[in-house]
Amino acid sequence: MKSSFRYILVATFITAIAAIAFLQFNSNRSINELINGNEDLMSVLKVKDELQQVQKNVAQLEAEAKSIVIRGEDLKDGRFQQQIKRIDNSFQLLDSFETNQTIGASVQELRQLVTRKVNMNTEVLRTFAGDGKDSAEKLINTQAGQLLSDSIRWLSNQIDERYQVNVTQLIRGADNSGRQAKTFGTILAIVAAITSLIAFGYISYKMIEQQRLIHRLNLSELKARQSARVKENFLANMSHEIRTPLNAILGFTGLLKQEPELPAQAGSYTGLIHKAGENLLQIVNNILDISKIEAGMMVVEYAPFEVRHTFSDIRNIYNQKCIEKGLEFIVTIDDAVPRFLLGDAVRVTQLIVNLVGNAIKFTDKGSVHVMVTNLKKNDEEITLKIEVVDTGIGMTEREEAAIFERFQQSDEGIARRYGGTGLGLSIVKDLVHLMSGVIKVHSKKGWGSSFTIALPFRIAGGNPVAAQDTGEEVELLPSAGKKILIVEDNELNQLLLQQLLKNWAIDFDVAGNGAEAIAYLKTQKYALILMDIQMPVADGYTTAGVIRNDLKIETPIVAMTADALPGEKERCIAAGMNEYLAKPINESELKKMIAHGLQDEDTPNRSAEQPQGLQYLKLEYLASVSRGNKEYEEEVFKQFLELYPEQLNTLTTRITAGAPEPVLKIVHSMKTTVSVLGLDEALYPYLETLEKDEKDAERQAGMNALQQISRLVLAEVIAYYNKVYR
């Protein structure tokens, strides 16, 4: 609707209101005039009645006087005096009526005539009483009495005629006021009806417009969801189609690099191919990281890690590269920085690797310096200040302002010279914000750049990471009589896995799809199953369901998928698989999982047994990870009891506020929190309900159910913690 039409509509509405008020005022005035006219008309009619009553009383007075004289009656009965009193009452009543000046003068004149008439009759009676009947009759028969009676009659008629004129005027005025009141009432009704129709039309129009807007919004939301699904499907297909050949490229080049008799030139070519594959993998991972962040599925883990060990790994990664470029690479950590912190070591490493990698890439001479210091600290929390300073090409102020934008680099020349996609720093910024931190950049063209990150962490006491992986090479124990089932449709990936298992002296069978795997499992026993997800005939999810539900086989299943999209790991675990490996497969990680699976098969860990009397807690996973380290287990329980109630309260607040995106993010984070203590079986159904429900009422009902089960779960966790660790 145009703004000019809105103004016209508002002006019309105001005019209609003013017209209604004007018509209502005039209608009320006409009605008041009609009422007053009717009251005046009633007064005139009463005056006429009283004038007639005066004439009647005067006539009766004269008749009474004559009757007394003619019959010789006694005067003591008082009837004559009563007639005089009636006449006085009539005149008093006439005086009380509102009359104009002319009529009022005539009434006074009439009163004088009547008084003379009364005096004359009184004189007749006095004469009758003193001089006798004859004298009284003579006085009665004089012409003066008759003339006086005629004057009274004539004057009464004159007054009556004048009142008749007033009556006619009053009737006409009343009629006119009535017609005006009727006219104004009709106009008022018409104006009110027109105004109501206009208001109804406008409201109807706005409702229709609102419905159209809602429809357009629904279509827009539907298109957005479809676009998101298309994007997700595209990313899933892209991830699968790129990662599958990358798995073969990196796997086989990795095997070639291990060959001792490989010629030098072939070894160089192999290294270049492997490096190109790793670069391509980094690009794919960056795109998937952006997808995770946009979907709110990028989860920050809270686990103990050793600060100096993390930065030492980063130094080891880039030290050789800096030597090759002739750069000085310095990593300094302030002594005041605690040894152990609680946070996401993987994301911290990803941040610093991105920044250090960029610093080395854009620095041809000089140094790259990483400094870690305390920015703020108390007994429980600390904020680390991490600076990455280089002496590279630097940036202008304009380039600095846009450096965190996606697909953004300083200029095309730099992109051609140094390469890259322009995604790394955008992901760094998103990850820093996800970890509740702050990132700043200061740069000068030709002098270098300085990136400063402030990240909050909690301080971990003791040695909570003693049970964690030390990074040492895993040794596979002899596994005579044990076989691994490879379920993979891609021939290159089959060949790669076969070669790896041969190198590790592990027996295996290969199934090209889920149906073949089921056939193998019906006839043979396997120590471990390596399961691809996207396969013909029967995919990994379907196959895992048949293994768990139909065949009732509890053999550990490791999911191997080129789909690294958000939620894929959780989907694999929910389908009945035990572990998850994203393609391209990291050889050392695969080796660890196989070693762990074969070791559990041979020598089950007693600490991984489920304690008796627990309804919700499933501690097998925690026990298998801690391997008897009670300090680590206690720290996990402490963190859960602090983190989960806080997440639950935040989730309740968000659902009450009706904010869908933070809800999904919090729910996903809570899934990670509860899985450590094996509470996924108890709590996942409630959390997944909150993920799926979009209506506020359904989410509120789901939240109430989650709070009820959470109270029971927390009570069991607290009781177990106090019993075992107190």
Side-chain angles (χ1 to χ4, degrees):
M1 184 182 290
K2 295 182 178 179
S3 58
S4 58
F5 181 74
R6 288 196 184 99
Y7 294 143
I8 293 172
L9 189 64
V10 171
T12 303
F13 185 74
I14 294 173
T15 304
I17 295 296
I20 290 173
F22 174 76
L23 292 170
Q24 184 66 37
F25 173 76
N26 285 280
S27 177
N28 290 339
R29 187 175 64 179
S30 298
I31 291 171
N32 289 332
E33 289 177 355
L34 178 62
I35 294 171
N36 293 333
N38 289 334
E39 291 177 352
D40 292 340
L41 181 60
M42 293 298 296
S43 298
V44 168
L45 293 175
K46 289 179 180 179
V47 168
K48 183 177 181 180
D49 289 341
E50 289 302 324
L51 287 172
Q52 291 176 352
Q53 189 65 36
V54 167
Q55 293 184 49
K56 181 179 178 182
N57 289 336
V58 170
Q60 287 179 352
L61 180 68
E62 187 174 17
E64 190 68 32
K66 288 180 179 181
S67 175
I68 292 171
V69 171
I70 293 171
R71 296 177 184 176
E73 295 178 354
D74 191 2
L75 294 174
K76 292 183 180 180
D77 59 2
R79 285 182 297 174
F80 184 79
Q81 294 299 327
Q82 289 177 1
Q83 289 298 331
I84 293 174
K85 189 173 182 180
R86 289 193 188 99
I87 292 171
D88 289 337
N89 290 337
S90 294
F91 275 107
Q92 288 177 1
L93 191 58
L94 285 172
D95 290 338
S96 66
F97 294 135
E98 294 183 2
T99 57
N100 59 40
Q101 189 174 3
T102 304
I103 294 175
S106 298
V107 170
Q108 292 300 320
E109 185 179 354
L110 178 63
R111 187 167 194 167
Q112 292 175 1
L113 292 174
V114 169
T115 301
R116 286 171 58 192
K117 185 67 174 177
V118 170
N119 291 336
M120 182 178 288
N121 285 313
T122 303
E123 183 63 29
V124 168
L125 292 177
R126 190 182 298 110
T127 302
F128 172 72
D131 298 334
K133 180 178 179 183
D134 293 337
S135 298
E137 287 179 349
K138 287 180 182 180
L139 190 58
I140 290 172
N141 292 326
T142 59
Q143 293 294 324
Q146 186 62 38
L147 290 174
L148 196 56
S149 295
D150 292 341
S151 297
I152 292 172
R153 193 176 299 109
W154 178 83
L155 187 56
S156 295
N157 291 334
Q158 288 294 314
I159 294 173
D160 185 51
E161 288 177 1
R162 289 171 186 161
Y163 268 113
Q164 287 296 331
V165 172
N166 282 348
V167 168
T168 303
Q169 292 175 348
L170 289 172
I171 292 173
R172 289 175 180 173
D175 290 342
N176 185 48
S177 297
R179 283 193 297 271
Q180 286 182 351
K182 183 178 179 181
T183 301
F184 285 132
T186 304
I187 296 173
L188 181 63
I190 293 172
V191 171
I194 293 173
T195 305
S196 299
L197 287 173
I198 293 174
F200 176 76
Y202 177 73
I203 293 171
S204 300
Y205 171 79
K206 293 302 289 183
M207 290 179 66
I208 293 171
E209 189 180 53
Q210 186 179 27
Q211 290 299 319
R212 288 175 181 167
L213 180 60
I214 292 172
H215 180 65
R216 292 208 319 257
L217 288 173
N218 289 336
L219 288 177
S220 177
E221 183 180 1
L222 181 62
K223 289 179 181 178
R225 289 182 178 179
Q226 290 174 345
S227 176
R229 280 196 293 269
V230 169
K231 177 184 175 183
E232 184 175 344
N233 291 335
F234 167 76
L235 289 172
N237 291 330
M238 182 203 71
S239 173
H240 185 268
E241 296 303 322
I242 294 178
R243 282 173 175 269
T244 298
L246 268 179
N247 186 50
I249 292 169
L250 294 176
F252 284 118
T253 53
L255 290 174
L256 282 173
K257 287 168 67 177
Q258 296 175 16
E259 289 292 330
E261 298 180 359
L262 189 68
Q265 189 175 18
S268 176
Y269 291 160
T270 301
L272 291 173
I273 294 171
H274 194 83
K275 185 177 181 63
E278 288 179 339
N279 290 338
L280 182 57
L281 177 61
Q282 184 60 44
I283 293 172
V284 174
N285 288 339
N286 284 343
I287 294 173
L288 293 176
D289 280 343
I290 289 174
S291 176
K292 289 180 182 179
I293 292 169
E294 287 180 344
M297 303 292 281
M298 180 70 80
V299 179
V300 176
E301 306 286 348
Y302 290 94
F305 70 97
E306 190 172 356
V307 178
R308 287 164 181 79
H309 178 73
T310 300
F311 281 89
S312 176
D313 288 344
I314 295 171
R315 179 170 50 203
N316 293 335
I317 291 172
Y318 287 107
N319 194 49
Q320 184 60 37
K321 192 168 185 178
C322 287
I323 292 173
E324 292 172 0
K325 290 192 71 173
L327 301 176
E328 185 180 9
F329 185 36
I330 306 169
V331 177
T332 58
I333 302 176
D334 193 336
D335 293 339
V337 174
R339 181 181 177 186
F340 298 105
L341 297 178
L342 288 174
D344 196 327
V346 174
R347 300 300 169 205
V348 172
T349 302
Q350 186 177 359
L351 292 175
I352 308 307
V353 163
N354 261 295
L355 293 177
V356 172
N358 275 349
I360 295 172
K361 182 197 300 184
F362 295 111
T363 303
D364 294 325
K365 60 180 180 178
S367 65
V368 174
H369 193 178
V370 179
M371 294 171 283
V372 184
T373 56
N374 288 352
L375 188 63
K376 186 171 59 175
K377 180 184 177 183
N378 56 36
D379 293 339
E380 297 181 353
E381 296 179 344
I382 185 173
T383 300
L384 287 187
K385 179 183 177 183
I386 305 171
E387 294 179 89
V388 178
V389 183
D390 65 64
T391 57
I393 60 175
M395 293 175 285
T396 64
E397 290 185 3
R398 182 181 62 82
E399 292 166 349
E400 184 180 318
I403 194 64
F404 293 113
E405 300 296 326
R406 290 176 186 172
F407 306 104
Q408 189 68 245
Q409 289 189 329
S410 297
D411 56 51
E412 293 182 2
I414 290 177
R416 285 194 298 269
R417 180 182 176 187
Y418 294 99
T421 59
L423 290 174
L425 289 178
S426 173
I427 294 172
V428 166
K429 181 182 178 182
D430 290 337
L431 288 176
V432 168
H433 289 169
L434 193 64
M435 298 169 71
S436 303
V438 178
I439 182 169
K440 296 178 181 178
V441 58
H442 177 70
S443 184
K444 186 176 181 182
K445 195 71 173 178
W447 289 81
S449 302
S450 172
F451 289 84
T452 304
I453 300 174
L455 289 177
F457 296 96
R458 304 192 71 173
I459 299 173
N463 186 6
V465 295
Q468 295 187 359
D469 180 35
T470 61
E472 297 178 357
E473 183 70 20
V474 175
E475 290 188 16
L476 288 171
L477 300 175
S479 55
K482 294 183 181 176
K483 295 174 71 174
I484 291 178
L485 178 61
I486 301 171
V487 189
E488 171 66 67
D489 65 314
N490 186 278
E491 292 181 1
L492 287 176
N493 288 335
Q494 286 180 2
L495 186 59
L496 173 63
L497 289 170
Q498 290 175 37
Q499 187 60 46
L500 288 172
L501 294 181
K502 285 178 183 177
N503 291 345
W504 299 334
I506 298 174
D507 195 10
F508 59 86
D509 285 328
V510 179
N513 55 59
E516 293 181 12
I518 298 300
Y520 274 112
L521 288 165
K522 286 181 178 179
T523 59
Q524 299 188 53
K525 182 180 179 181
Y526 295 93
L528 189 69
I529 301 171
L530 302 179
M531 179 82 70
D532 186 28
I533 297 300
Q534 292 192 20
M535 297 181 294
V537 184
D539 62 20
Y541 304 119
T542 304
T543 305
V546 173
I547 293 171
R548 297 298 189 226
N549 301 322
D550 297 344
L551 301 181
K552 306 297 183 182
I553 294 175
E554 297 300 326
T555 301
I557 302 174
V558 177
M560 300 185 302
T561 176
D563 183 359
L565 286 176
E568 184 62 26
K569 180 178 180 180
E570 288 76 11
R571 189 179 175 190
C572 291
I573 301 299
M577 305 182 205
N578 303 84
E579 295 290 352
Y580 170 92
L581 273 178
K583 294 179 181 178
I585 293 172
N586 184 289
E587 183 179 337
S588 61
E589 288 198 12
L590 176 62
K591 193 174 183 180
K592 289 176 187 175
M593 287 190 180
I594 292 175
H596 187 264
L598 295 179
Q599 179 184 358
D600 287 348
E601 178 77 11
D602 277 334
T603 55
N605 191 348
R606 291 186 179 181
S607 65
E609 295 178 359
Q610 171 71 6
Q612 299 296 318
L614 296 179
Q615 182 178 357
Y616 304 108
L617 281 168
K618 309 294 181 187
L619 300 177
E620 294 93 338
Y621 176 77
L622 177 63
S624 66
V625 172
S626 70
R627 298 196 178 275
N629 188 327
K630 292 299 181 182
E631 289 184 0
Y632 172 72
E633 292 178 1
E634 182 180 359
E635 188 65 34
V636 170
F637 269 92
K638 280 183 181 179
Q639 293 305 314
F640 176 84
L641 290 173
E642 290 179 9
L643 187 59
Y644 184 76
E646 180 181 335
Q647 291 175 329
L648 189 66
N649 291 336
T650 304
L651 182 62
T652 304
T653 304
R654 294 294 186 185
I655 287 179
T656 304
E661 291 185 3
V663 166
L664 297 177
K665 182 177 177 181
I666 296 168
V667 167
H668 192 76
S669 179
M670 291 175 74
K671 281 185 172 182
T672 304
T673 303
V674 302
S675 63
V676 179
L677 297 181
L679 296 169
D680 43 347
E681 182 178 336
L683 297 174
Y684 265 31
Y686 301 92
L687 294 171
E688 288 173 352
T689 299
L690 293 175
E691 282 183 317
K692 295 174 183 176
D693 291 339
E694 296 183 356
K695 296 182 179 178
D696 292 342
E698 293 175 353
R699 271 196 170 155
Q700 190 60 54
M703 188 66 231
N704 294 337
L706 177 62
Q707 288 175 330
Q708 291 178 0
I709 187 67
S710 294
R711 282 194 287 269
L712 300 174
V713 167
L714 286 170
E716 182 172 292
V717 173
I718 293 170
Y720 181 82
Y721 175 78
N722 291 334
K723 178 181 178 182
V724 176
Y725 302 108
R726 288 295 184 184

